[in-house]
Amino acid sequence: MLEGLSTMEIFKMFLPVIIVELALKMFCLVSIFKNGVKNLNKIAWTLVVLLISTLGPIVFLIFGRRNNYDD
Amino acid sequence: MNSFTAYIKKEYMEGIRNFKFLIIALGIILFALLDPLMLKLLPHILENQAPGMDLSQLANYTQEGAIQNYMQNLFQISNLVIVLTLMGLLSEEIKNKTLIIPYSNKVNINGIVLAKYIVYAGAIFIIILIGFLINYYYSKLLFPEEIINIGRVLKSSSIFGVYFLFNLSLVLLMSSLFRKSIAAGILSLSIIYLSPAIGMIEKISKFSPYYLVNQANILSDNYDSFLNKSILLTFIYIFIFIGITIYRMNKIELD
Amino acid sequence: MMIRAENLTKRYGNNKVLNGVNFNVEKGEIYGFLGHNGVGKTTTMNILAGIIGYNDGDITLNSLDMKNNRSNLKGMIGYLPEEPKFYPYMTSNEYLTFIGEVLGFNKNKIKVRNKELLELVKLEKSSNRKIGGYSRGMKQRLGIAVSMYNNPEILLLDEPSSALDPTGRKDVINIIKNLKNLGITVFLSTHILSDIERICDKVGILYNGKIILEEKLDMLKQRYLHSIYDIEFENNINQETIDEIKEDWIKDIEVKDNIMNLHVDENIDSRDIIALLSELNIPILSLNLRRSNLEDIFIKVVNENE
């Protein structure tokens, strides 16, 4: 696909995005299963976080996240 | 002054413990990485889809183009993230009655409003700067052919920062007017997203804060001579909005 | 006179919540502010705390007029809202520090005061846990600590024990009892009468936007309380038997099947009752003395004003 670039170079190019995206997804998944969710159920939020890149986790953090101290 | 410092600490604590700073940072910084990459990949994707097309007309495949794309997303998506994260800044406190105890303890209301504004203004300004820097270095890595001067990027990021400070004052004002934070959010977003339409009318476009977005997009030293006045004007709007918010919070009946 | 309200009026649109409320609270007194839910107790408390305004009337707190000294008074009054709301992501220690900073205390003073107050309301052990995880009773106790922060002379407590379980209630009541020893004037609103009976010196009953009764608790008891004897007979009681009873110390007779309730004067004791019953010459199963409580008085007073 990217002619003139080796696989390693492509991977390096993607690396920052991949790292941030993965860290974000992990953080959200931990939050879902540790502290619970609101507005939708756990499965729905898990799918949102996993399937929609970038915006999925952000939407979850704004609308779905529960704090461990929420009533 | 006591209330101001107390609330600075409180908002800072809330920003960290409720992950507000983190969410705003994600909403601003992720696109700094994503946009240059998308731009880099775009020709290759299109080539597979429609071979032989002239792609050079579609987008500006340079570092400059990448940064301009980033600014477009800052306007469209980062605004959304910021407003949705901060729409409850005052309305949640009014609705949840968390202000009753401080109010009955002689809190200085001006201090509360100012502290809230300053904490998030500082956070947003710093995050924007970081976002632009990350975007600059990443796009430099991907488009090494034509590299633009970092000074220009810093200027654009400052102009964009001022624009976001205006939006913050708008959200803060809306948040003081509605008990439902989503109402404050939707109204703020409508105003933000409709302002480019005002920009179509030549004569008043310069007086809208959206003008700053246009100017930041130029990314060169050829800013319009009106830019300085526009920045000043935006600060005046901010003062007025904060003033109305303070007035409103002093008048409000908390029950 | 610590708190005096004269002709206090509050309207929401056309709806008059308070319609000329008058009351007086002496220094060091625990004043029980009684009334049904939704009768305007919280509104009155919010007005006294300076959180909302009022349409008409005069309020004097510690001989300072409310209209001209609203902001000065705020620091002199401690207020515990009905459901105190804190920032859930703070620990109680952090919240008290926050209030201390709002009040302008310095670091050392805050440290000392936090410790004192957390001891007073027995939250030392949970002082480093987030408030969001507290039970209602713990939040209520923290609320009392917060309201005490500035060493107020007047404490306004809005339904401090209503939503609590029995242990939580007992803790709160004991804390309020201790406040009395500190010489603090407490204005306490509640609809739980047994709490008032346990701690209050004076009660005021709010009904239909007015105070329909205000009296010292012991005077009130003397005036309204008379003993009631519940007598259970072996057979149903007929009208002739009732007509036979003519003693003038009997205030009222209620009969249902084989049970008779005799309302009698305070100075009548069981000997008189037994003498009366032996005259009737009907077999009885039991004889019980029941003292009418504040609840009966409350219902009676409200009914009189219906």
Side-chain angles (χ1 to χ4, degrees):
Chain A
M1 183 169 126
L2 294 168
E3 57 285 335
L5 293 172
S6 71
T7 327
M8 204 52 214
E9 274 172 310
I10 298 172
F11 183 68
K12 268 187 194 159
M13 227 163 74
F14 275 90
L15 200 60
V17 179
I18 295 171
I19 289 172
V20 174
E21 186 77 32
L22 279 182
L24 187 55
K25 283 195 189 330
M26 283 302 293
F27 176 80
C28 291
L29 290 179
V30 169
S31 170
I32 289 175
F33 289 100
K34 201 172 142 227
N35 301 327
V37 291
K38 56 189 183 196
N39 291 327
L40 284 174
N41 62 38
K42 281 188 184 184
I43 297 165
W45 278 124
T46 308
L47 291 177
V48 167
V49 167
L50 286 179
L51 299 183
I52 307 171
S53 76
T54 316
L55 284 182
I58 291 179
V59 169
F60 163 73
L61 287 175
I62 294 175
F63 293 108
R65 195 176 52 84
R66 266 176 69 96
N67 287 309
N68 50 5
Y69 44 74
D70 276 348
D71 294 326
Chain B
M1 202 57 198
N2 299 322
S3 304
F4 177 72
T5 41
Y7 262 86
I8 289 265
K9 284 185 200 163
K10 177 251 158 190
E11 288 302 328
Y12 179 71
M13 202 186 274
E14 182 171 321
I16 289 178
R17 294 195 186 167
N18 280 351
F19 300 109
K20 285 186 178 169
F21 293 148
L22 180 76
I23 298 171
I24 295 172
L26 285 172
I28 290 175
I29 291 173
L30 261 176
F31 296 99
L33 291 172
L34 221 55
D35 284 331
L37 193 63
M38 293 312 282
L39 192 69
K40 182 78 182 174
L41 295 179
L42 189 65
H44 302 285
I45 297 167
L46 288 178
E47 214 162 64
N48 286 354
Q49 300 291 321
M53 223 169 83
D54 183 14
L55 298 163
S56 57
Q57 301 298 315
L58 263 168
N60 183 3
Y61 300 100
T62 58
Q63 190 193 16
E64 193 183 4
I67 296 173
Q68 280 165 342
N69 268 6
Y70 176 50
M71 284 193 260
Q72 208 173 346
N73 268 330
L74 274 183
F75 175 74
Q76 284 170 353
I77 298 170
S78 305
N79 258 330
L80 186 72
V81 174
I82 290 176
V83 170
L84 290 180
T85 313
L86 299 181
M87 63 194 180
L89 216 46
L90 284 164
S91 58
E92 290 283 315
E93 296 229 21
I94 298 167
K95 200 182 91 200
N96 294 339
K97 304 185 175 189
T98 43
L99 283 177
I100 288 190
I101 292 174
Y103 265 47
S104 72
N105 274 301
K106 223 182 168 179
V107 75
N108 181 317
I109 294 156
N110 311 359
I112 298 180
V113 177
L114 286 179
K116 278 177 186 280
Y117 186 78
I118 284 171
V119 166
Y120 285 102
I124 289 175
F125 211 89
I126 293 168
I127 293 168
I128 294 261
L129 190 67
I130 295 172
F132 267 92
L133 286 177
I134 290 176
N135 182 255
Y136 177 78
Y137 284 108
Y138 197 46
S139 55
K140 189 167 135 186
L141 201 79
L142 294 179
F143 301 96
E145 300 85 17
E146 275 180 64
I147 292 168
I148 61 172
N149 188 336
I150 191 167
R152 293 198 218 158
V153 177
L154 290 178
K155 259 188 198 163
S156 276
S157 89
S158 310
I159 297 171
F160 232 98
V162 175
Y163 170 70
F164 273 117
L165 294 192
F166 167 78
N167 287 349
L168 177 63
S169 70
L170 177 71
V171 179
L172 192 69
L173 172 63
M174 291 303 160
S175 188
S176 74
L177 297 178
F178 298 95
R179 263 159 212 251
K180 277 216 161 96
S181 54
I182 193 74
I186 288 172
L187 203 61
S188 308
L189 284 174
S190 319
I191 294 173
I192 289 169
Y193 287 140
L194 285 177
S195 53
I198 296 171
M200 309 273 226
I201 307 164
E202 195 78 29
K203 275 188 182 155
I204 55 167
S205 71
K206 287 182 177 175
F207 301 98
S208 152
Y210 182 71
Y211 181 71
L212 295 178
V213 178
N214 276 333
Q215 289 296 308
N217 255 295
I218 293 176
L219 256 191
S220 71
D221 288 326
N222 308 324
Y223 294 118
D224 193 292
S225 58
F226 195 76
L227 179 65
N228 285 336
K229 282 181 197 147
S230 178
I231 289 174
L232 184 70
L233 207 59
T234 306
F235 275 114
I236 292 172
Y237 295 147
I238 293 173
F239 280 122
I240 293 172
F241 281 10
I242 293 177
I244 302 173
T245 311
I246 287 176
Y247 177 79
R248 160 79 182 162
M249 291 310 286
N250 274 295
K251 284 278 170 251
I252 200 164
E253 298 227 319
L254 289 175
D255 61 337
Chain C
M1 202 66 71
M2 220 46 191
I3 310 175
R4 178 206 289 277
E6 265 175 90
N7 207 19
L8 184 63
T9 309
K10 173 76 181 173
R11 280 186 299 267
Y12 286 107
N14 280 329
N15 181 16
K16 267 195 178 179
V17 181
L18 303 178
N19 188 11
V21 170
N22 297 293
F23 53 82
N24 293 300
V25 185
E26 311 267 353
K27 192 174 164 52
E29 209 169 47
I30 298 188
Y31 187 100
F33 192 48
L34 264 173
H36 292 299
N37 284 333
V39 81
K41 296 192 300 274
T42 299
T43 308
T44 313
M45 302 296 261
N46 280 340
I47 291 172
L48 289 176
I51 287 171
I52 58 175
Y54 50 100
N55 299 95
D56 215 354
D58 291 302
I59 298 177
T60 333
L61 289 160
N62 202 3
S63 63
L64 284 170
D65 178 61
M66 178 71 134
K67 276 215 171 78
N68 305 321
N69 301 287
R70 189 158 153 185
S71 63
N72 288 338
L73 279 170
K74 273 189 188 173
M76 291 165 55
I77 303 166
Y79 179 40
L80 172 70
E82 182 169 359
E83 206 184 318
K85 292 290 189 125
F86 312 98
Y87 298 115
Y89 47 82
M90 288 188 185
T91 67
S92 53
N93 209 354
E94 283 164 346
Y95 194 84
L96 287 171
T97 306
F98 163 72
I99 291 295
E101 282 169 353
V102 166
L103 288 164
F105 287 20
N106 67 35
K107 267 203 180 113
N108 287 328
K109 210 172 158 196
I110 287 176
K111 215 174 164 186
V112 174
R113 193 79 186 119
N114 284 5
K115 201 164 171 285
E116 276 171 17
L117 288 168
L118 288 167
E119 256 166 47
L120 179 81
V121 298
K122 302 189 178 60
L123 280 175
E124 312 99 308
K125 282 192 189 124
S126 337
S127 66
N128 287 321
R129 272 174 47 200
K130 298 232 162 64
I131 300 171
Y134 279 19
S135 68
R136 271 303 305 267
M138 289 164 84
K139 284 183 189 166
Q140 213 73 19
R141 270 153 40 203
L142 176 61
I144 294 177
V146 170
S147 65
M148 297 276 297
Y149 210 97
N150 207 16
N151 279 317
E153 290 180 64
I154 300 171
L155 210 52
L156 309 169
L157 307 176
D158 193 1
E159 304 268 9
S161 58
S162 302
L164 304 181
D165 58 27
T167 22
R169 257 173 72 188
K170 201 174 145 231
D171 292 343
V172 168
I173 294 293
N174 285 336
I175 291 168
I176 297 171
K177 268 188 188 159
N178 286 336
L179 296 182
K180 202 183 169 172
N181 304 332
L182 298 171
I184 298 171
T185 309
V186 180
F187 187 84
L188 172 115
S189 94
T190 185
H191 63 267
I192 297 177
L193 296 147
S194 58
D195 290 351
I196 289 206
E197 269 187 294
R198 273 149 81 183
I199 47 178
C200 290
D201 302 309
K202 200 190 209 178
V203 289
I205 298 177
L206 183 67
Y207 187 74
N208 262 345
K210 280 197 159 103
I211 297 276
I212 53 172
L213 181 125
E214 184 183 44
E215 205 160 1
K216 293 247 181 211
L217 194 62
D218 42 358
M219 301 282 283
L220 185 75
K221 279 191 168 166
Q222 254 180 38
R223 201 150 63 86
Y224 276 90
L225 287 189
H226 29 86
S227 317
I228 301 170
Y229 285 89
D230 300 324
I231 306 150
E232 193 184 354
F233 294 92
E234 204 172 81
N235 304 309
N236 285 3
I237 308 149
N238 50 32
Q239 192 59 38
E240 290 144 44
T241 324
I242 299 168
D243 292 338
E244 262 181 63
I245 306 169
K246 289 197 190 70
E247 274 76 1
D248 55 0
W249 43 262
I250 293 177
K251 296 227 164 138
D252 196 11
I253 303 175
E254 290 164 25
V255 174
K256 190 175 180 273
D257 297 337
N258 64 333
I259 295 174
M260 179 189 276
N261 307 319
L262 280 181
H263 296 240
V264 298
D265 275 346
E266 188 79 331
N267 51 358
I268 296 301
D269 63 33
S270 51
R271 283 170 300 179
D272 303 286
I273 305 287
I274 289 167
L276 171 79
L277 290 176
S278 62
E279 267 172 45
L280 291 178
N281 203 16
I282 342 176
I284 46 171
L285 295 176
S286 67
L287 169 67
N288 270 318
L289 169 66
R290 179 177 85 191
R291 289 206 167 260
S292 70
N293 53 20
L294 200 53
E295 202 146 338
D296 298 322
I297 300 176
F298 179 70
I299 292 164
K300 203 167 172 183
V301 174
V302 168
N303 284 340
E304 279 168 12
N305 280 274
E306 201 79 282

